[in-house]
Amino acid sequence: MSGSTTDSAPEDEQSGSPVTVEPSARAEDEKVAAVRRVAAAGRRWRAAQLAGCAALLTVALTGGSIAFGALRDGGTATVASTSPAVSPGLMASGDLDAGIEAVQAHLRGQPKDFGGWATLGLAYVEQARTKGDPSRYPQAEQALRKSLELKADNEQALAGLAALAAARHDFKGALAHADRALRQNPYSERALCSRIDALVELGRYDEASKAADLADERRPGIPVFTRYAYVHELRGDVRTARTVLERALSSATGPGDIAYVATALGQLAWNQGDYDTALADYARALAADDAYLPALEGRARAQAASGDRAAAIKGMEAVVARYPLPGPLVALGELYEGRGGAGDKARAGDQYALVDAWTALARANGVNADLDTAMAAADHGDRAAALRAARAEWARRHTVHTADALAWALHVNGRDEEALPYARQATATGYRNASFRYHRGIVELAGGDRKEAESQLTSALKLNPGFSPLGAREARKALKEMAR
């Protein structure tokens, strides 16, 4: 987003009007600096340090699961581009902060405009996503509830609550709100999209596919196309996914939509080991928005996989400097380990310590660690903690990603017999994911099925030979040892 960096505050309790506060760019820099001080201390944090660094969560949590979480395994994110989150008029200038200020000014004069409050709530949700700041979510909820007070069951506010619940990873709540909104307006784009998101993230893929078909019939467009593509990718139908995303890109006009869809295409290509295409897609995304973090991270991963380690490290360092989230932190640490130069082991350890800091801060603030955190802990941290996190996530939802995370956490804790059914479930939909196949191959090998292990590990490397700097190396090592 360009333009103003003014933060937005909720409704003033005395006047009933929305208010604004001073810019927070310096505060966000201080949050990042605070966590880096934690990293310097490694695992020996003092309680005072944790309290002082807790604000980093307002930078990290949203982007970690939505934008970067998808990039960890090369999948396309299941969130919409910027345009459907708020009204077209609000986004016409491409400056969300300025648009929010305009809506706030309108509501000062027209405080009973239920549609204005719904628009403001949706804009806060979008602001949280683009800034990586979940502190906007209470503001969004307050605005959306205000809209419902003014007009019960209005579709705009219900759709906004669905989007808000999905952003908070309350997917059951998102589904319930989306269904309520669709009863009011069966053609609500936001509700149709949130319904797909919720069903996907709950692991109800058959229902998600039907929901995507219905949304495509009712409201074809970029938000629906990207979700439709992801549902097909989860089933292994990469050709349809790419065709739909290319269709979405051809209809995109704004820089935000172009960057979003081109990045999704890059992720899809990277997942299939087509690095040249991925790099071309990321280049198109960055031509539209040269600061778009998912594209910068994706490009670094593609550079690493295609052998340009120096550019990959430089690019990932730039991403981590802005948003030290688990996915890119682990990727950078593994790039350092893969390079193996003087001091690289310590550099990698610093990145993993930052992940540990992020996890500790999340728990200190009552936030459940997401799948990226569970996977990072399994490979580079507290394995018992990884298993607890993976079990908790599995209890909430049964997706291919949670199955894979639980399988791997069980494996690293020496519970391969228990891990095997989850590893097989993670690969059962046809989703073409090299990390999942690698994990299953290692679990199969630990369980004594060398033939299936060889098949899975070979398949992982054939699909995406650079899926992970360390994972790919371990897969080749295991195959070499089996061939002796």
Side-chain angles (χ1 to χ4, degrees):
M1 289 296 123
S2 62
S4 170
T5 57
T6 301
D7 288 337
S8 301
E11 166 189 13
D12 183 274
E13 293 181 357
Q14 300 300 319
S15 66
S17 299
V19 296
T20 58
V21 296
E22 293 300 313
S24 63
R26 180 179 299 175
E28 291 188 357
D29 289 342
E30 290 173 352
K31 296 167 190 172
V32 174
V35 155
R36 294 202 174 280
R37 289 195 295 273
V38 176
R43 297 175 184 274
R44 301 182 302 276
W45 305 297
R46 298 190 302 271
Q49 286 177 306
L50 288 177
C53 298
L56 179 69
L57 293 176
T58 63
V59 176
L61 294 179
T62 305
S65 56
I66 294 178
F68 295 101
L71 282 166
R72 179 173 167 76
D73 57 44
T76 54
T78 57
V79 292
S81 61
T82 56
S83 57
V86 293
S87 69
L90 180 62
M91 289 302 298
S93 67
D95 187 342
L96 181 60
D97 292 327
I100 287 175
E101 290 178 3
V103 176
Q104 289 174 328
H106 166 76
L107 288 170
R108 289 189 185 99
Q110 301 291 332
K112 294 187 182 299
D113 179 4
F114 72 90
W117 285 106
T119 297
L120 182 62
L122 281 167
Y124 282 145
V125 173
E126 184 64 12
Q127 194 177 53
R129 188 184 72 81
T130 57
K131 288 180 177 291
D133 186 355
S135 70
R136 268 72 168 183
Y137 292 149
Q139 300 169 6
E141 184 170 4
Q142 189 173 5
L144 294 165
R145 297 294 182 189
K146 177 73 172 180
S147 177
L148 289 171
E149 288 176 10
L150 292 168
K151 184 176 180 180
D153 288 335
N154 78 80
E155 169 262 320
Q156 290 171 273
L158 291 173
L161 286 174
L164 175 60
R168 285 172 157 170
H169 295 181
D170 174 14
F171 298 112
K172 290 182 179 179
L175 183 59
H177 287 306
D179 284 339
R180 285 181 63 194
L182 289 170
R183 285 196 289 271
Q184 301 299 319
N185 176 10
Y187 293 87
S188 167
E189 181 181 68
R190 169 52 63 188
L192 288 166
C193 290
S194 292
R195 190 169 193 276
I196 300 168
D197 292 346
L199 289 168
V200 165
E201 298 300 337
L202 290 169
R204 293 161 61 174
Y205 298 131
D206 289 342
E207 293 174 75
S209 181
K210 293 176 182 177
D213 288 339
L214 179 63
D216 190 44
E217 291 175 8
R218 292 181 178 177
R219 289 298 299 270
I222 289 175
V224 172
F225 292 161
T226 52
R227 290 164 169 84
Y228 187 96
Y230 187 57
V231 169
H232 278 269
E233 185 188 0
L234 284 170
R235 294 176 174 273
D237 187 358
V238 174
R239 179 178 298 180
T240 296
R242 186 158 193 94
T243 297
V244 171
L245 287 174
E246 288 172 346
R247 179 183 171 192
L249 186 58
S250 69
S251 68
T253 55
D257 283 343
I258 293 170
Y260 177 82
V261 180
T263 297
L265 280 163
Q267 292 169 0
L268 183 65
W270 182 88
N271 224 19
Q272 315 313 310
D274 186 354
Y275 307 134
D276 289 341
T277 298
L279 287 169
D281 289 329
Y282 291 130
R284 181 161 185 178
L286 293 169
D289 181 353
D290 62 5
Y292 190 55
L293 283 168
L296 290 170
E297 183 185 349
R299 182 178 68 178
R301 291 179 185 274
Q303 288 169 333
S306 57
D308 192 353
R309 180 186 290 153
I313 290 176
K314 182 178 180 180
M316 200 65 76
E317 286 174 339
V319 171
V320 165
R322 290 172 61 188
Y323 286 93
L325 302 167
L329 284 168
V330 169
L332 180 57
E334 292 189 348
L335 284 170
Y336 286 143
E337 285 197 62
R339 185 172 64 182
D344 277 339
K345 185 175 181 180
R347 293 187 186 95
D350 288 343
Q351 308 313 307
Y352 305 145
L354 273 172
V355 176
D356 288 342
W358 189 92
T359 302
L361 291 167
R363 289 176 179 164
N365 285 271
V367 179
N368 287 323
D370 63 12
L371 288 179
D372 279 314
T373 305
M375 294 300 293
D379 286 328
H380 306 291
D382 185 335
R383 296 177 178 181
L387 182 54
R388 288 194 297 271
R391 286 195 187 281
E393 196 67 28
W394 180 256
R396 289 189 288 271
R397 52 199 180 105
H398 294 182
T399 70
V400 292
H401 293 86
T402 53
D404 173 68
L406 182 51
W408 196 241
L410 286 164
H411 163 71
V412 300
N413 281 276
R415 305 173 69 163
D416 292 293
E417 184 177 353
E418 190 178 350
L420 189 54
Y422 296 107
R424 290 174 176 172
Q425 186 168 339
T427 59
T429 67
Y431 183 36
R432 293 170 57 81
N433 185 293
S435 292
F436 289 9
R437 297 181 185 188
Y438 160 64
H439 288 159
R440 179 178 169 183
I442 295 298
V443 173
E444 294 278 7
L445 181 60
D449 192 336
R450 294 172 64 89
K451 182 177 180 180
E452 186 61 30
E454 182 179 6
S455 174
Q456 292 295 327
L457 294 173
T458 301
S459 176
L461 292 171
K462 182 178 180 181
L463 174 61
N464 186 355
F467 69 90
S468 163
L470 301 186
R473 185 180 69 188
E474 290 303 311
R476 293 187 179 94
K477 179 181 176 181
L479 286 170
K480 184 176 180 180
E481 290 177 351
M482 282 191 286
R484 289 177 181 172

